[in-house]
Amino acid sequence: MSRVLLTYVVPILLPTALYFLWLNLLRRSGKATTAVQVPWVLLLGTGLLLAAVITAGTSLIWEDEDGGVYERPPFSYEAPPEPGQGR
């Protein structure tokens, strides 16, 4: 869960959070007007680009324990359980 949070959620929300923090600082100093249009498309695009870069980076840095080779699960000849008998 934490890897998903750090890889996807934080990078998408980080540019928006930083923008609103910067805007709040400007308003406190009196340099910003009250009617500011938020560049949602730019913020979302920046967040998606940041998420893509972080996803690519984590795939290059962290390797799978098996070296990225797929191994089929062993085949079982057992019949599926009868309904109502459970397993």
Side-chain angles (χ1 to χ4, degrees), residues 11-76:
I12 291 174
L13 295 179
L14 185 65
T16 305
L18 290 176
Y19 175 78
F20 282 118
L21 179 68
W22 173 73
L23 189 63
N24 191 17
L25 291 174
L26 281 180
R27 284 185 180 162
R28 285 187 182 191
S29 67
K31 295 180 182 176
T33 61
T34 56
V36 176
Q37 290 187 355
V38 179
W40 292 110
V41 174
L42 180 64
L43 292 173
L44 182 63
T46 305
L48 290 174
L49 179 66
L50 188 58
V53 168
I54 289 176
T55 302
T58 56
S59 69
L60 293 174
I61 292 172
W62 289 323
E63 288 188 18
D64 292 334
E65 292 147 5
D66 59 358
V69 177
Y70 175 74
E71 294 180 16
R72 285 186 358 191
F75 183 75
S76 173

